[in-house]
Amino acid sequence: MKLTGKQIDWGLKRFLLGQNIGQMIGQVVSVYQRVINIQLTEADRYVTLAKSQVVQTPDMIKIYEDDVFNDCVKHINPSSHVYLIGYNTLMIEDVVIDFHHAELWSGRFIRYPDHNEVTEQMIKSLKTFLIRKGRTQGILGSYLAVINQPLPDPLSLHQDALKDRLMMFKQWPTLDVMKQFVGLGIGLTPSGDDFLLGLFSVFYYYHSSEWQLIIEYKDDLLQYMKERTTPVSYHMLKQMIYSQTNDALKTAIESGSDMKLTDLEVFLHIGSTSGTDMLVGVLVGLEHMHRKTIQGGMSDGIESDHREECLS
């Protein structure tokens, strides 16, 4: 069987071009309906093969042939070895993946804001969307409880814990508080991790002091994450700490006040609650940046150390 690459992370392609043809480069660690995850042997990287409609992420190869992919996931076994059999070709069992003509993609932001002001309209639009369409089973339920919005169901134990952490973050966004979201929740990417991905994406995009703190202590933070969450989440957050996020977050955050409904609806198709959880992280990050702005902490390019609530 043959799979053809539709899109590939440029950093991954550059890495693979530097490997020796004929060598085993990794091992399949999990197989799902829409993705195949591979742990590389010579680098701390988690490569994903994905169907064409999956949102592009760092270290991902998206495939054209969804029907062939469906057949592949039925017989590829976790623990199967992955070989580089050509400069642009991988092989897993009897499946060949050719990414020679795949479109190159980067998880880095292409453009940055001319100024750091986050408008109330940006926050209002995103909050309205989440209240109307977001999935409340994850951290959105916790967020709604913090702002005293009605909930369709009582909070779960995980949501109660997430609510407590949101309230702590509301008082002061220290690195120690942010670390308490790591691994909190269920699934391949727990809600707390998806929330942090959205939050970190905002902090990076706006070059906030919180992002500078994350970078200063990145080695300790990465080790903490590696020990406390799933491999998928760890590598997702690691990529963000090294300045790369997924395509949906890139598009939404770069759009700023021009964010479209279609940009947000993409998130509803990411995982069970993962996309919603990421957007809650974006919302909380924007609220925090706006709070600092109206307190005068960023109007002259210097952030204030006097911060109050970050959630409204």
Side-chain angles (χ1 to χ4, degrees), residues 121-187:
Q121 185 57 46
M122 289 166 61
I123 294 169
K124 181 181 178 181
S125 296
L126 181 51
K127 185 184 293 186
T128 300
F129 174 82
L130 283 167
I131 291 173
R132 289 178 179 173
K133 295 193 174 185
R135 296 177 178 171
T136 58
Q137 297 92 333
I139 198 170
L140 178 58
S142 310
Y143 175 87
L144 294 176
V146 171
I147 63 172
N148 298 314
Q149 284 283 327
L151 291 167
D153 300 296
L155 295 182
S156 66
L157 290 175
H158 284 121
Q159 288 178 305
D160 267 328
L162 289 164
K163 176 187 173 184
D164 290 342
R165 283 151 181 78
L166 284 172
M167 293 177 73
M168 285 191 286
F169 184 90
K170 174 180 178 179
Q171 299 301 320
W172 191 260
T174 65
L175 192 57
D176 283 341
V177 170
M178 287 186 270
K179 285 166 66 175
Q180 293 187 40
F181 287 92
V182 174
L184 188 52
I186 58 176

Side-chain angles (χ1 to χ4, degrees), residues 55-201:
V55 171
Q56 181 74 43
T57 66
D59 277 349
M60 176 182 281
I61 304 174
K62 283 170 63 168
I63 303 300
Y64 269 115
E65 304 90 353
D66 286 352
D67 54 343
V68 181
F69 192 95
N70 290 337
D71 291 335
C72 291
V73 299
K74 293 175 183 177
H75 77 267
I76 287 181
N77 297 310
S79 77
S80 294
H81 292 164
V82 182
Y83 295 89
L84 183 71
I85 62 170
Y87 284 116
N88 296 281
T89 314
L90 300 176
M91 189 169 189
I92 309 171
E93 298 180 11
D94 63 344
V95 179
V96 174
I97 303 101
D98 181 357
F99 53 89
H100 181 75
H101 297 293
E103 176 190 358
L104 294 179
W105 173 89
S106 172
R108 299 182 186 277
F109 286 107
I110 298 172
R111 57 182 181 274
Y112 293 92
D114 296 329
H115 51 82
N116 285 335
E117 184 177 354
V118 175
T119 66
E120 290 184 6
Q121 185 57 46
M122 289 166 61
I123 294 169
K124 181 181 178 181
S125 296
L126 181 51
K127 185 184 293 186
T128 300
F129 174 82
L130 283 167
I131 291 173
R132 289 178 179 173
K133 295 193 174 185
R135 296 177 178 171
T136 58
Q137 297 92 333
I139 198 170
L140 178 58
S142 310
Y143 175 87
L144 294 176
V146 171
I147 63 172
N148 298 314
Q149 284 283 327
L151 291 167
D153 300 296
L155 295 182
S156 66
L157 290 175
H158 284 121
Q159 288 178 305
D160 267 328
L162 289 164
K163 176 187 173 184
D164 290 342
R165 283 151 181 78
L166 284 172
M167 293 177 73
M168 285 191 286
F169 184 90
K170 174 180 178 179
Q171 299 301 320
W172 191 260
T174 65
L175 192 57
D176 283 341
V177 170
M178 287 186 270
K179 285 166 66 175
Q180 293 187 40
F181 287 92
V182 174
L184 188 52
I186 58 176
L188 284 174
T189 55
S191 291
D193 298 335
D194 290 320
F195 167 83
L196 287 177
L197 180 64
L199 183 74
F200 287 179
S201 296

Side-chain angles (χ1 to χ4, degrees), residues 280-299:
V280 174
V282 172
L283 175 59
V284 170
L286 292 176
E287 287 179 327
H288 174 67
M289 300 302 295
H290 181 62
R291 176 68 63 178
K292 290 198 294 188
T293 299
I294 63 175
Q295 289 177 343
M298 297 187 68
S299 60

